[in-house]
């Protein structure tokens, strides 16, 4: 069974992509000096979860998973 493609707003997809990049930067940095990145991550997550897209009760956790997949796919295309 194949899931239907979900069209996410561009700004939501961009925010999720930034969240992924900050997570990756934190993973690379290791210990110490991560305050700026942690604050950036908190800011991006606030933007992500407070986006008007999520105010519609029809959206579920599965949509969040699909958003992450779509953001990773965009990042891979950009890197190629």
């Amino acid at each position: 069974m194949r899931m239907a493609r979900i069209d996410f707003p561009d700004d939501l997809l961009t925010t999720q992509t930034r969240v992924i990049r900050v997570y990756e930067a934190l993973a690379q940095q290791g210990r110490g000096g991560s305050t700026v990145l942690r604050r950036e991550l908190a800011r991006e997550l606030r933007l992500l979860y407070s986006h008007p897209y999520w105010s519609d009760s029809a959206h579920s956790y599965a949509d969040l998973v699909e958003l992450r997949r779509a953001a990773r796919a965009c990042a891979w295309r950009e890197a190629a």
Side-chain angles (χ1 to χ4, degrees):
M1 179 180 210
R2 191 171 178 193
M3 289 184 63
R5 184 176 180 274
I6 300 171
D7 287 321
F8 295 104
D10 289 339
D11 61 330
L12 183 60
L13 193 57
T14 300
T15 301
Q16 179 62 59
T17 302
R18 286 192 311 257
V19 167
I20 291 168
R21 287 186 179 143
V22 175
Y23 268 125
E24 290 171 352
L26 276 167
Q28 293 296 321
Q29 183 156 0
R31 290 186 164 169
S34 62
T35 302
V36 172
L37 287 173
R38 287 185 288 117
R39 286 182 181 155
E40 184 179 347
L41 179 61
R43 183 178 60 84
E44 295 297 341
L45 287 171
R46 273 193 306 275
L47 290 172
L48 181 73
Y49 292 121
S50 66
H51 193 278
Y53 179 84
W54 304 116
S55 64
D56 183 354
S57 62
H59 301 296
S60 66
Y61 182 75
D63 291 333
L64 182 59
V65 171
E66 191 59 32
L67 173 65
R68 290 179 184 146
R69 287 182 185 152
R72 288 199 184 279
C74 285
W76 289 334
R77 280 193 300 271
E78 290 172 7

